[in-house]
Amino acid sequence: MRILIVGAGSAGMTCAWRLSEDPDNEVVLVEAGVDPGPEVPAVLRREILLPPEYYWEYSDADTGHFLPRGKVLGGSSAVNAAAAVRGHSWCYDSWGSPEWTFEKCLPAFRALEADQQFGTADYHGADGPVPVTRFEPGPFDRAFNDAYERRGFSRISDHNAPGALGFGPFPTNRIGDDRISTLLAFLPQLRERPNVELRPEAEIVQVIVRDRAARGVVVRTKHGAETTIEADLILLCAGTFGTPEILFNSGIGPGEQVRAAGIPLLVEAPALGTNLSDHVLVRMDVDVTDPSAPALPGGRGTLLTFELDGEGHPQAQIFAYRTQFFDPTAEPLTASVTSSLVTPASRGRLELGSGRAQVHLRHLSDPLDRSRMADIVTRAADIIDDLAASGTVRLPDAPWWRADDLQEACRREAVSYHHAVGTCRMGTDTQSVVDDHLRVRGVDRLMVADASVMPSIPRGQTNFAAMMIGYRAADFIR
Ligand SMILES: Cc1cc2nc3c(=O)[nH]c(=O)nc-3n(C[C@H](O)[C@H](O)[C@H](O)COP(=O)(O)OP(=O)(O)OC[C@H]3O[C@@H](n4cnc5c(N)ncnc54)[C@H](O)[C@@H]3O)c2cc1C
């Protein structure tokens, strides 16, 4: 079978790797971004602030904040912070499908990873293509750990252990400084496989549908020329912003909007572009007083997770990292103590039209999220005060988190954790964009497999969850 995969990111590359293990499958992997070549440059292996050519140009239409999305082989896995927290069993069990319980997802998580510390545990893998490790805390993180312990939080060694809550090292898919993205983990093998055709710098504009079945795609090359590629099955893995754009351009989406854009309506899919969900965070910047003990870069220090009051496991993360990691203008000793609500009730949406999607993340738009975020920040402020009293950090003049209206201050400071999901929600109900075998409703031979299908956002970082979806999509096809 000839299978065309659109987008070589976390999910797409994983799916191509798994599918092409079977020599009977012919896999065409089409990616809008560049192929950096077999010798992956250091910037793509290590950095999180990359040259603009490696990103799409999305921003939040309401705040103007840039929203990085990888446009390169490896997709966002090649530009991310490589934190490898996959979330709890209840994240997946709440997706509402017997096909996507944590029990059903766990074999894929295990097959993907080579956990360096806990590989033999029955909820981990030891032999997968993506290494996961944990680094020793530096002196700055140790001071945080002591403050967490004084507040009764538990010390844990593995954030991916069942039910883990407390403080411990970030699991990370790195070897030394190298981020093991899908570009590094899978592409070398894909290049060797005769049944894989790689098509970088080729942007898919729309899916060609005839007689209610996908037959191929329209591709635009970097020189603007348009051509078509045919296949027996089309799998869209273009991410939370990219996949809905392609479906919409193909005439699949909310009827009124599709018609208003001058596109003939093929399938009414009212949920397309809705249900956008993202982790939201706020940064509390402080100065480290000991120049020999700066904060570590992101994803290498300590992560604290805890549950908030309320039903359904509402959860928070607090962690601190060297601010320069994300902001090159910051002083070397500035550290960002970061608070995140990882169970947001707020939902955003994509405004889809004939051009690029307008993204409305609508962080903290739900009052419940504002009060929860203020609660997390109050706890983080208490920890910062503790560290200031012991002389570990120095506070700025008039810290924003001492505002009279803390909820409003949080809203002003809120930014994306860059984990957006949910715009092509899967489900067993007829309103969902894809069914729980990832088939687009109303069109045969067309599937979606990427972060866009997640009905709700897991309480961990989303890269491994997206890879898991790509892996399982291949198994559905096989
Ligand atoms: C800055 C940043 C930091 C992050 N940090 C972490 C972290 O530390 N840990 C973690 O787990 N997660 C992190 N994430 C999130 C995680 O990387 C994403 O959730 C995950 O990569 C999404 O996978 P995906 O397959 O859905 O999309 P992507 O990996 O984005 O893949 C989509 C691919 O499709 C291509 N594409 C899009 N449109 C088209 C088109 N029309 N034609 C052809 N190709 C197209 C894109 O170029 C891209 O290669 C981070 C993300 C960012 C941006």
Side-chain angles (χ1 to χ4, degrees):
M1 182 160 60
R2 180 173 158 89
I3 304 157
L4 192 149
I5 298 178
V6 178
S10 303
M13 190 86 87
T14 305
C15 188
W17 174 74
R18 180 85 174 134
L19 274 176
S20 58
E21 282 173 348
D22 179 348
D24 288 340
N25 286 329
E26 190 190 331
V27 176
V28 186
L29 183 56
V30 187
E31 164 60 43
V34 291
D35 177 355
E39 294 299 322
V40 177
V43 69
L44 259 178
R45 283 186 279 117
R46 299 188 171 159
E47 306 297 331
I48 189 143
L49 297 169
L50 300 165
E53 60 264 29
Y54 292 127
Y55 296 110
W56 294 87
E57 288 176 2
Y58 293 104
S59 57
D60 188 317
D62 303 312
T63 62
H65 296 157
F66 175 57
L67 300 175
R69 295 278 104 191
K71 186 179 182 182
V72 57
L73 289 178
S76 298
S77 82
V79 304
N80 74 14
V85 184
R86 60 192 183 197
H88 294 291
S89 56
W90 43 88
C91 303
Y92 303 90
D93 292 343
S94 73
W95 282 0
S97 159
E99 202 51 72
W100 292 92
T101 58
F102 185 65
E103 203 187 335
K104 288 268 180 81
C105 298
L106 184 59
F109 279 126
R110 294 186 65 196
L112 285 166
E113 69 173 3
D115 192 296
Q116 307 296 293
Q117 286 82 32
F118 301 101
T120 54
D122 56 10
Y123 47 88
H124 273 303
D127 311 316
V130 189
V132 173
T133 193
R134 295 150 190 84
F135 295 119
E136 285 297 316
F140 182 70
D141 284 290
R142 285 201 294 274
F144 268 84
N145 292 352
D146 292 344
Y148 294 147
E149 201 150 45
R150 283 195 287 279
R151 277 154 188 79
F153 293 113
S154 306
R155 193 180 283 270
I156 57 174
S157 47
D158 179 16
H159 275 288
N160 288 327
L165 289 168
F167 66 93
F170 258 108
T172 174
N173 47 305
R174 286 185 185 273
I175 296 181
D177 283 337
D178 282 354
R179 159 182 51 220
I180 310 302
S181 59
T182 59
L183 172 66
L184 269 72
F186 300 110
L187 194 59
Q189 290 178 60
L190 293 184
R191 288 189 199 280
E192 299 295 316
R193 292 186 183 164
N195 57 338
V196 177
E197 184 191 340
L198 207 56
R199 301 273 296 253
E201 297 186 66
E203 182 173 346
I204 300 306
V205 184
Q206 68 175 97
V207 179
I208 302 165
V209 180
R210 272 195 312 271
D211 302 327
R212 294 193 88 76
R215 311 286 171 175
V217 291
V218 177
V219 189
R220 190 183 296 135
T221 66
K222 65 174 175 173
H223 306 295
E226 285 195 0
T227 169
T228 58
I229 311 178
E230 307 231 317
D232 301 312
L233 178 71
I234 316 284
L235 196 68
L236 299 181
C237 305
T240 297
F241 305 151
T243 291
E245 284 178 355
I246 298 169
L247 288 174
F248 190 89
N249 282 337
S250 314
I252 301 165
E256 228 171 89
Q257 290 172 43
V258 173
R259 286 197 203 89
I263 301 167
L265 182 67
L266 208 67
V267 176
E268 173 81 46
L272 189 84
T274 66
N275 190 48
L276 174 58
S277 185
D278 187 24
H279 295 148
V280 54
L281 61 80
V282 295
R283 282 174 22 188
M284 304 155 81
D285 289 358
V286 296
D287 287 324
V288 181
T289 52
D290 180 355
S292 68
L296 294 173
R300 293 178 180 80
T302 294
L303 169 67
L304 168 69
T305 60
F306 56 94
E307 288 197 344
L308 303 161
D309 291 338
E311 291 293 304
H313 302 285
Q315 192 177 311
Q317 292 190 354
I318 295 179
F319 53 96
Y321 59 88
R322 195 180 307 164
T323 308
Q324 269 188 347
F325 182 61
F326 274 110
D327 175 2
T329 64
E331 296 295 325
L333 285 178
T334 303
S336 294
V337 181
T338 303
S339 299
S340 177
L341 174 65
V342 292
T343 45
S346 305
R347 290 289 177 272
R349 69 187 172 88
L350 298 183
E351 208 177 307
L352 293 158
S354 44
R356 283 266 100 85
Q358 300 277 301
V359 183
H360 299 270
L361 287 172
R362 304 185 73 241
H363 287 138
L364 303 186
S365 53
D366 189 304
L368 180 64
D369 287 355
R370 288 201 289 283
S371 78
R372 283 182 169 162
M373 189 52 116
D375 177 10
I376 304 166
V377 166
T378 303
R379 295 180 199 223
D382 170 51
I383 291 158
I384 290 173
D385 286 346
D386 185 334
L387 295 178
S390 66
T392 307
V393 301
R394 211 173 13 246
L395 269 66
D397 297 336
W400 68 261
W401 53 93
R402 298 232 170 109
D404 289 339
D405 187 344
L406 184 54
Q407 292 193 22
E408 192 45 42
C410 287
R411 194 173 186 160
R412 274 196 308 274
E413 296 292 323
V415 292
S416 174
Y417 206 156
H418 306 310
H419 297 159
V421 307
T423 51
C424 300
R425 178 178 70 82
M426 78 161 124
T428 50
D429 61 297
T430 53
Q431 294 291 295
S432 56
V433 179
V434 297
D435 69 14
D436 60 358
H437 284 86
L438 306 177
R439 296 171 292 210
V440 174
R441 290 184 185 281
V443 184
D444 289 342
R445 306 186 189 190
L446 181 61
M447 296 172 68
V448 174
D450 57 26
S452 74
V453 303
M454 298 184 200
S456 59
I457 191 163
R459 289 158 183 74
Q461 278 66 348
T462 44
N463 179 43
F464 258 81
M467 287 195 293
M468 177 276 288
I469 289 168
Y471 185 96
R472 295 203 63 206
D475 283 355
F476 291 155
I477 295 165
R478 286 163 64 144

